[in-house]
Amino acid sequence: MGDRAGHTPITAVQHAFRLMEAVAAHAGGAPANELARGAGLPPDTALEVLRALTRDGYLRRLDDGSFVLGDVPHGDHAAQGLAGLARPALAALRDDLSAAAYLTFYEEGEIRIAEIVDGPQTPRVDLWVGFQDAGHATALGKCVLREMDEEARGEYLSRHTLADLTPRTITHREELIRQLESLPAPVMMDREEYDLGTVCIAVPVYRGGTLGSLGVSFRADRMYRTSQVRAHLLESADRVTRDLTFGS
């Protein structure tokens, strides 16, 4: 069904419903190309609609690139509801900085993405490597690692290989720890360590006793804005921590 009639409102709604039905048929998630086949749509049309549904919260894109229904991303409805409390702050951060915004938490021994708020002009980083395998290469992950005590950090690093994702990735444990301990708190940065051409800046947040991080990603040629980004991140982190603490 490869017509591009496509952009009429009724047809767009039909595409959305067909893709939602295809996603619902895969409880564990499915990639865009599989969902396109299930919905009988061209891959580019399906991807456009999937992105729109994800931006609006109807769907959620997992670390491996697959899509699931927005209300059951990890089987933890309560945790997702709490993460949803932070969405307005993340949306404001995205709009203020013209950058995709991310929220993570350290749960069950892994650093996991809880929320991403992006948009057509502020695309998220392509999560080409599952996030739980890339904590050492992202500002979000390194921010969490720096806030851990020495025992918890050592336990985490003993279970995770420091994979070489770009020529800039830190792949030696001692070097990573030196960086974590030497940079001024609380802001953490990665400079094209996860994705060439992309910079990420993050600060810590908390959901009760659960440690997490809040960050944004942007093109490396916008590095000149880092002081402005830091100020907005710190303000937003305070808001997110309050929302998650008192809104729960």
Side-chain angles (χ1 to χ4, degrees):
M1 301 181 65
D3 65 48
R4 301 280 295 178
H7 293 323
T8 67
I10 295 299
T11 305
V13 170
Q14 291 172 336
H15 289 175
F17 275 122
R18 282 154 59 184
L19 283 166
M20 291 284 287
E21 290 172 353
V23 173
H26 297 81
N33 57 353
E34 185 175 344
L35 294 172
R37 288 194 298 269
L41 296 173
D44 57 344
T45 299
L47 185 58
E48 181 180 352
V49 177
L50 287 168
R51 286 172 173 165
L53 290 170
T54 300
R55 286 196 300 271
D56 292 339
Y58 295 105
L59 299 180
R60 187 171 177 81
R61 193 176 185 185
L62 301 181
D63 293 354
D64 63 3
S66 61
F67 292 86
V68 295
L69 294 176
D71 60 344
V72 285
H74 296 297
D76 187 345
H77 187 82
Q80 177 60 16
L82 287 173
L85 293 173
R87 194 174 294 122
L90 269 68
L93 188 63
R94 174 200 61 192
D95 295 342
D96 288 343
L97 296 177
S98 299
Y102 308 77
L103 178 67
T104 77
F105 291 112
Y106 183 64
E107 299 175 305
E108 300 178 346
E110 299 296 345
I111 303 168
R112 294 174 173 158
I113 293 179
E115 194 67 64
I116 302 176
V117 177
D118 58 357
Q121 305 304 316
T122 56
R124 67 184 65 188
V125 174
D126 180 15
L127 298 174
W128 67 283
V129 174
F131 195 83
Q132 67 185 43
D133 296 320
H136 66 292
T138 67
L140 291 155
K142 290 194 289 184
C143 187
V144 171
L145 289 173
R146 184 174 58 188
E147 294 298 307
M148 290 178 180
D149 61 39
E150 185 175 347
E151 181 180 356
R153 183 194 300 161
E155 194 277 332
Y156 176 91
L157 292 175
S158 72
R159 295 183 288 106
H160 294 81
T161 300
L162 306 187
D164 184 5
L165 305 183
T166 79
R168 295 176 177 266
T169 308
I170 297 174
T171 57
H172 297 288
R173 175 171 170 162
E174 295 75 14
E175 182 182 355
L176 177 64
I177 292 174
R178 278 198 301 272
Q179 184 190 81
L180 296 176
E181 295 179 345
S182 64
L183 293 178
V187 181
M188 201 73 208
M189 178 181 291
D190 85 69
R191 297 175 174 85
E192 304 182 74
E193 295 165 48
Y194 178 84
D195 181 60
L196 287 176
T198 301
V199 169
C200 181
I201 300 179
V203 296
V205 295
Y206 289 88
R207 189 185 70 208
T210 301
L211 169 63
S213 58
L214 173 70
V216 293
S217 65
F218 50 93
R219 295 193 318 271
D221 60 8
R222 293 173 61 195
M223 281 279 288
Y224 64 90
R225 299 184 61 205
T226 54
S227 59
Q228 176 190 5
V229 172
R230 288 188 181 98
H232 278 278
L233 273 174
L234 291 169
E235 180 180 344
S236 296
D238 286 342
R239 176 182 172 185
V240 168
T241 295
R242 288 196 306 270
D243 290 344
L244 295 179
T245 299
F246 300 110
S248 59

